[in-house]
Coordinates of all heavy atoms in Angstrom, one line a residue:
Chain A
I60 N 135.7 60.3 134.1 CA 135.3 58.9 133.8 C 136.4 58.2 133.0 O 136.8 58.8 132.0 CB 133.9 58.8 133.1 CG1 132.8 59.4 133.9 CG2 133.6 57.4 132.6 CD1 131.5 59.6 133.2
N61 N 136.8 57.0 133.4 CA 137.9 56.4 132.7 C 137.7 54.9 132.4 O 138.7 54.1 132.5 CB 139.2 56.7 133.4 CG 139.2 56.2 134.8 OD1 138.2 55.6 135.2 ND2 140.2 56.4 135.6
F62 N 136.5 54.5 132.1 CA 136.3 53.1 131.9 C 136.3 52.8 130.4 O 136.0 51.7 129.9 CB 135.0 52.5 132.5 CG 133.7 53.2 132.0 CD1 133.2 52.9 130.8 CD2 133.1 54.2 132.7 CE1 132.0 53.5 130.3 CE2 132.0 54.8 132.3 CZ 131.4 54.5 131.1
T63 N 136.5 53.8 129.6 CA 136.4 53.6 128.1 C 137.7 53.4 127.4 O 137.9 53.7 126.3 CB 135.7 54.8 127.5 OG1 136.4 56.0 127.9 CG2 134.3 54.9 128.0
N64 N 138.6 52.8 128.1 CA 140.0 52.5 127.6 C 140.6 53.8 127.1 O 140.7 54.8 127.7 CB 139.9 51.4 126.6 CG 139.4 50.1 127.2 OD1 139.6 49.8 128.4 ND2 138.6 49.4 126.4
E65 N 141.1 53.7 125.8 CA 141.8 54.9 125.3 C 140.9 55.9 124.7 O 141.3 57.0 124.3 CB 142.8 54.4 124.2 CG 144.0 53.7 124.8 CD 144.1 52.3 124.2 OE1 143.8 52.1 123.1 OE2 144.4 51.4 125.0
I66 N 139.6 55.6 124.6 CA 138.7 56.5 124.0 C 138.2 57.6 125.0 O 137.7 57.2 126.1 CB 137.4 55.8 123.4 CG1 137.9 54.7 122.5 CG2 136.5 56.8 122.7 CD1 136.8 53.7 122.2
P67 N 138.4 58.9 124.7 CA 137.9 59.9 125.7 C 136.4 59.8 125.8 O 135.7 59.5 124.8 CB 138.3 61.2 125.0 CG 139.2 60.9 123.9 CD 139.0 59.5 123.5
Y68 N 135.9 60.0 127.0 CA 134.5 59.7 127.3 C 133.6 60.6 126.4 O 132.5 60.2 125.9 CB 134.2 60.0 128.8 CG 132.7 59.6 129.1 CD1 132.3 58.3 129.1 CD2 131.8 60.6 129.3 CE1 131.0 57.9 129.4 CE2 130.5 60.3 129.6 CZ 130.1 58.9 129.7 OH 128.8 58.6 129.9
G69 N 134.0 61.8 126.2 CA 133.2 62.7 125.3 C 133.0 62.1 123.9 O 131.9 62.2 123.4
A70 N 134.1 61.5 123.4 CA 134.0 60.9 122.0 C 133.2 59.6 122.2 O 132.4 59.3 121.3 CB 135.3 60.6 121.5
F71 N 133.4 58.9 123.3 CA 132.7 57.6 123.5 C 131.2 57.7 123.4 O 130.5 56.8 122.9 CB 133.1 57.0 124.8 CG 132.4 55.8 125.2 CD1 132.9 54.5 124.7 CD2 131.3 55.8 126.0 CE1 132.2 53.3 125.1 CE2 130.6 54.6 126.4 CZ 131.1 53.4 125.9
I72 N 130.6 58.8 123.9 CA 129.2 58.9 124.0 C 128.5 59.4 122.7 O 127.3 59.4 122.5 CB 128.7 59.8 125.1 CG1 129.2 61.3 125.0 CG2 129.0 59.2 126.5 CD1 128.5 62.2 125.9
V73 N 129.4 59.8 121.7 CA 128.8 60.4 120.4 C 127.9 59.4 119.7 O 126.8 59.8 119.4 CB 130.0 60.9 119.5 CG1 129.4 61.2 118.1 CG2 130.7 62.1 120.1
P74 N 128.3 58.2 119.5 CA 127.4 57.2 118.8 C 126.1 57.0 119.6 O 125.0 57.0 119.0 CB 128.2 55.9 118.8 CG 129.6 56.3 118.9 CD 129.6 57.5 119.8
G75 N 126.2 56.9 120.9 CA 125.0 56.7 121.7 C 124.1 57.9 121.7 O 122.9 57.8 121.6
L76 N 124.7 59.1 121.7 CA 123.8 60.3 121.6 C 123.1 60.4 120.2 O 122.0 60.8 120.1 CB 124.7 61.6 121.8 CG 125.0 62.0 123.2 CD1 125.9 63.2 123.2 CD2 123.7 62.3 123.9
V77 N 123.9 60.1 119.2 CA 123.2 60.1 117.8 C 122.1 59.1 117.8 O 121.0 59.4 117.3 CB 124.3 59.7 116.7 CG1 123.6 59.6 115.4 CG2 125.4 60.8 116.7
I78 N 122.3 57.9 118.3 CA 121.2 56.9 118.3 C 120.1 57.4 119.1 O 118.9 57.2 118.7 CB 121.8 55.5 118.9 CG1 122.8 54.9 117.9 CG2 120.6 54.5 119.1 CD1 122.2 54.4 116.6
L79 N 120.4 57.9 120.3 CA 119.3 58.5 121.2 C 118.4 59.5 120.4 O 117.2 59.4 120.4 CB 119.9 59.1 122.4 CG 118.9 59.8 123.4 CD1 118.1 58.8 124.1 CD2 119.7 60.6 124.4
T80 N 119.1 60.4 119.7 CA 118.3 61.4 119.1 C 117.6 60.9 117.8 O 116.4 61.2 117.7 CB 119.2 62.6 118.7 OG1 120.0 63.0 119.8 CG2 118.5 63.8 118.1
I81 N 118.3 60.2 117.0 CA 117.6 59.7 115.8 C 116.5 58.7 116.0 O 115.5 58.7 115.3 CB 118.6 59.2 114.7 CG1 119.3 58.0 115.2 CG2 119.5 60.3 114.2 CD1 119.7 57.1 114.1
S82 N 116.7 57.9 117.1 CA 115.6 56.9 117.4 C 114.3 57.7 117.8 O 113.2 57.4 117.3 CB 116.0 56.0 118.5 OG 116.3 56.7 119.7
M83 N 114.5 58.7 118.6 CA 113.3 59.5 119.0 C 112.7 60.2 117.9 O 111.5 60.2 117.6 CB 113.7 60.5 120.1 CG 114.2 59.8 121.4 SD 112.9 58.9 122.2 CE 111.9 60.2 122.9
Q84 N 113.6 60.9 117.1 CA 113.1 61.7 116.0 C 112.5 60.8 114.9 O 111.4 61.2 114.3 CB 114.3 62.5 115.4 CG 114.7 63.7 116.3 CD 113.6 64.6 116.6 OE1 112.9 65.1 115.7 NE2 113.4 65.0 117.9
S85 N 113.1 59.7 114.6 CA 112.5 58.8 113.5 C 111.1 58.4 113.9 O 110.2 58.4 113.1 CB 113.4 57.6 113.3 OG 114.7 58.0 112.9
V86 N 111.0 57.9 115.2 CA 109.7 57.4 115.6 C 108.7 58.6 115.6 O 107.6 58.4 115.1 CB 109.8 56.8 117.1 CG1 108.5 56.6 117.7 CG2 110.6 55.5 117.0
N87 N 109.1 59.8 116.1 CA 108.2 60.9 116.1 C 107.8 61.3 114.7 O 106.6 61.5 114.4 CB 108.8 62.1 116.8 CG 108.7 62.0 118.3 OD1 107.8 61.2 118.8 ND2 109.6 62.6 119.1
N88 N 108.8 61.5 113.8 CA 108.5 61.9 112.5 C 107.5 61.0 111.8 O 106.5 61.4 111.2 CB 109.8 62.0 111.6 CG 110.6 63.1 112.0 OD1 110.1 64.2 112.6 ND2 111.9 63.0 111.8
A89 N 107.8 59.7 111.8 CA 107.0 58.7 111.0 C 105.7 58.6 111.7 O 104.6 58.4 111.0 CB 107.7 57.4 111.0
S90 N 105.6 58.5 113.0 CA 104.3 58.3 113.6 C 103.4 59.5 113.4 O 102.2 59.3 113.1 CB 104.4 58.0 115.1 OG 105.1 59.1 115.8
F91 N 103.9 60.7 113.5 CA 103.1 61.9 113.3 C 102.7 62.0 111.8 O 101.6 62.4 111.5 CB 103.8 63.2 113.8 CG 103.5 63.5 115.2 CD1 104.4 63.0 116.2 CD2 102.4 64.1 115.6 CE1 104.1 63.2 117.5 CE2 102.1 64.4 117.0 CZ 103.0 63.9 117.9
G92 N 103.7 61.6 110.9 CA 103.4 61.7 109.5 C 102.2 60.9 109.1 O 101.4 61.4 108.3
I93 N 101.9 59.8 109.6 CA 100.8 59.0 109.3 C 99.6 59.2 110.2 O 98.4 59.1 109.8 CB 101.1 57.5 109.1 CG1 100.0 56.7 108.5 CG2 101.5 56.8 110.5 CD1 99.7 57.0 107.0
F94 N 99.9 59.6 111.5 CA 98.8 59.8 112.4 C 98.1 61.1 112.1 O 96.8 61.1 112.3 CB 99.4 59.8 113.9 CG 98.3 60.1 114.9 CD1 97.4 59.1 115.3 CD2 98.1 61.3 115.5 CE1 96.4 59.3 116.2 CE2 97.1 61.6 116.4 CZ 96.3 60.6 116.8
F95 N 98.8 62.1 111.7 CA 98.2 63.4 111.4 C 97.1 63.3 110.4 O 96.0 63.8 110.6 CB 99.2 64.4 111.1 CG 99.1 65.7 111.8 CD1 99.2 65.7 113.2 CD2 98.8 66.9 111.2 CE1 99.0 66.8 114.0 CE2 98.7 68.0 112.0 CZ 98.8 68.0 113.3
P96 N 97.3 62.7 109.2 CA 96.2 62.5 108.3 C 95.0 61.7 108.9 O 93.9 62.0 108.6 CB 96.9 61.7 107.1 CG 98.3 62.0 107.2 CD 98.6 62.2 108.7
K97 N 95.4 60.8 109.7 CA 94.3 60.0 110.4 C 93.5 61.0 111.2 O 92.2 61.0 111.2 CB 94.8 58.9 111.2 CG 95.0 57.6 110.5 CD 95.6 56.5 111.4 CE 94.9 56.3 112.7 NZ 95.5 55.2 113.5
F98 N 94.2 61.8 112.0 CA 93.6 62.7 112.9 C 92.7 63.8 112.2 O 91.6 64.1 112.6 CB 94.7 63.4 113.8 CG 94.2 64.4 114.7 CD1 93.5 64.0 115.9 CD2 94.4 65.8 114.5 CE1 93.1 65.0 116.8 CE2 94.0 66.7 115.4 CZ 93.3 66.3 116.5
L99 N 93.3 64.2 111.1 CA 92.6 65.3 110.3 C 91.5 64.7 109.3 O 90.7 65.5 108.8 CB 93.6 66.1 109.4 CG 94.7 66.9 110.2 CD1 95.8 67.4 109.3 CD2 94.0 68.0 110.9
G100 N 91.6 63.4 109.1 CA 90.6 62.8 108.2 C 91.0 62.9 106.8 O 90.2 62.8 105.9
T101 N 92.3 63.1 106.5 CA 92.7 63.2 105.1 C 93.3 61.9 104.5 O 93.7 61.9 103.4 CB 93.8 64.3 104.9 OG1 94.9 64.0 105.8 CG2 93.2 65.7 105.3
T102 N 93.2 60.8 105.3 CA 93.7 59.5 104.7 C 92.9 59.1 103.6 O 93.3 58.2 102.8 CB 93.7 58.4 105.8 OG1 92.5 58.5 106.6 CG2 94.9 58.4 106.7
Y103 N 91.6 59.6 103.4 CA 90.8 59.2 102.3 C 91.5 59.4 101.0 O 91.3 58.6 100.1 CB 89.4 60.0 102.3 CG 89.5 61.3 101.8 CD1 89.3 61.6 100.4 CD2 89.9 62.4 102.5 CE1 89.4 62.8 99.9 CE2 90.0 63.7 102.0 CZ 89.7 63.9 100.7 OH 89.9 65.1 100.1
E104 N 92.3 60.5 101.0 CA 93.0 60.8 99.7 C 94.1 59.8 99.4 O 94.2 59.4 98.2 CB 93.6 62.2 99.8 CG 93.8 62.9 98.5 CD 94.2 64.3 98.6 OE1 94.7 64.7 99.7 OE2 94.2 65.0 97.6
I105 N 94.8 59.4 100.4 CA 95.9 58.4 100.2 C 95.3 57.1 99.8 O 95.7 56.4 98.9 CB 96.7 58.3 101.5 CG1 97.3 59.6 101.9 CG2 97.8 57.2 101.3 CD1 98.5 60.1 101.2
L106 N 94.2 56.7 100.5 CA 93.6 55.4 100.3 C 92.9 55.3 98.9 O 92.8 54.2 98.3 CB 92.6 55.1 101.4 CG 93.2 54.8 102.8 CD1 92.1 54.7 103.8 CD2 94.1 53.6 102.8
S107 N 92.4 56.5 98.4 CA 91.7 56.4 97.1 C 92.6 56.7 96.0 O 92.2 56.7 94.8 CB 90.5 57.4 97.1 OG 91.0 58.7 97.3
A108 N 93.9 57.0 96.2 CA 94.9 57.3 95.2 C 95.4 56.0 94.5 O 95.4 54.9 95.2 CB 96.0 58.1 95.7
P109 N 95.8 56.0 93.3 CA 96.3 54.8 92.6 C 97.7 54.5 93.1 O 98.7 54.6 92.3 CB 96.3 55.2 91.1 CG 96.4 56.7 91.1 CD 95.8 57.2 92.4
I110 N 97.9 54.2 94.3 CA 99.2 54.0 94.9 C 99.1 52.7 95.8 O 98.1 52.5 96.5 CB 99.6 55.2 95.7 CG1 100.9 55.1 96.4 CG2 98.6 55.7 96.7 CD1 101.5 56.4 96.9
S111 N 100.2 51.9 95.7 CA 100.2 50.7 96.5 C 100.6 51.0 97.9 O 101.2 52.0 98.2 CB 101.2 49.7 95.9 OG 102.5 50.1 96.1
Y112 N 100.4 50.0 98.8 CA 100.8 50.1 100.2 C 102.3 50.3 100.3 O 102.8 51.1 101.1 CB 100.3 48.9 101.0 CG 98.9 48.7 101.0 CD1 98.3 47.5 100.9 CD2 98.0 49.9 101.0 CE1 96.9 47.3 100.9 CE2 96.6 49.7 101.0 CZ 96.1 48.4 100.9 OH 94.7 48.3 100.9
V113 N 103.1 49.6 99.5 CA 104.5 49.7 99.5 C 104.9 51.1 99.2 O 105.8 51.7 99.9 CB 105.2 48.7 98.5 CG1 106.7 48.9 98.4 CG2 104.9 47.3 98.9
E114 N 104.3 51.7 98.2 CA 104.6 53.1 97.8 C 104.3 54.1 98.9 O 105.0 55.0 99.2 CB 103.9 53.4 96.5 CG 104.5 52.7 95.3 CD 103.5 52.5 94.2 OE1 102.4 53.0 94.3 OE2 103.9 51.9 93.2
I115 N 103.2 53.8 99.6 CA 102.8 54.7 100.7 C 103.9 54.7 101.8 O 104.3 55.7 102.3 CB 101.4 54.3 101.3 CG1 100.3 54.5 100.3 CG2 101.1 55.0 102.6 CD1 98.9 53.9 100.8
V116 N 104.3 53.4 102.1 CA 105.3 53.3 103.2 C 106.6 53.9 102.7 O 107.3 54.6 103.5 CB 105.6 51.8 103.5 CG1 106.7 51.6 104.5 CG2 104.3 51.1 104.1
I117 N 107.0 53.7 101.5 CA 108.3 54.3 101.0 C 108.2 55.9 101.2 O 109.1 56.5 101.6 CB 108.6 53.9 99.5 CG1 108.9 52.5 99.4 CG2 109.7 54.8 99.0 CD1 109.0 51.9 98.0
G118 N 107.0 56.4 100.8 CA 106.9 57.9 100.9 C 107.0 58.4 102.3 O 107.8 59.3 102.6
Y119 N 106.3 57.8 103.2 CA 106.3 58.3 104.6 C 107.6 58.0 105.3 O 108.2 58.8 106.0 CB 105.1 57.7 105.4 CG 103.8 58.5 105.1 CD1 102.8 57.9 104.3 CD2 103.6 59.7 105.6 CE1 101.6 58.6 104.0 CE2 102.4 60.4 105.4 CZ 101.4 59.9 104.6 OH 100.3 60.6 104.3
V120 N 107.9 56.7 105.2 CA 109.2 56.2 106.0 C 110.4 56.9 105.4 O 111.3 57.3 106.1 CB 109.2 54.7 106.0 CG1 110.6 54.2 106.5 CG2 108.1 54.1 106.8
G121 N 110.4 57.0 104.0 CA 111.5 57.6 103.3 C 111.7 59.1 103.8 O 112.9 59.5 104.1
A122 N 110.6 59.8 103.9 CA 110.8 61.2 104.4 C 111.2 61.3 105.8 O 112.1 62.0 106.2 CB 109.4 61.9 104.2
S123 N 110.7 60.4 106.7 CA 111.0 60.4 108.1 C 112.5 60.0 108.3 O 113.2 60.6 109.0 CB 110.1 59.4 108.8 OG 110.6 59.1 110.1
A124 N 112.9 59.0 107.5 CA 114.3 58.5 107.6 C 115.3 59.6 107.1 O 116.4 59.8 107.7 CB 114.5 57.2 106.8

Side-chain angles (χ1 to χ4, degrees):
Chain A
I60 298 174
N61 57 3
F62 61 79
T63 54
N64 300 326
E65 287 117 39
I66 306 164
Y68 185 71
F71 176 83
I72 63 168
V73 171
L76 277 178
V77 173
I78 292 289
L79 175 69
T80 309
I81 63 153
S82 61
M83 297 295 286
Q84 289 300 314
S85 299
V86 169
N87 280 337
N88 288 334
S90 58
F91 274 93
I93 190 67
F94 178 76
F95 230 60
K97 269 177 56 179
F98 178 72
L99 296 170
T101 56
T102 39
Y103 81 89
E104 203 175 15
I105 302 285
L106 293 173
S107 64
I110 179 169
S111 71
Y112 299 142
V113 173
E114 289 155 0
I115 294 173
V116 174
I117 293 173
Y119 279 106
V120 171
S123 168

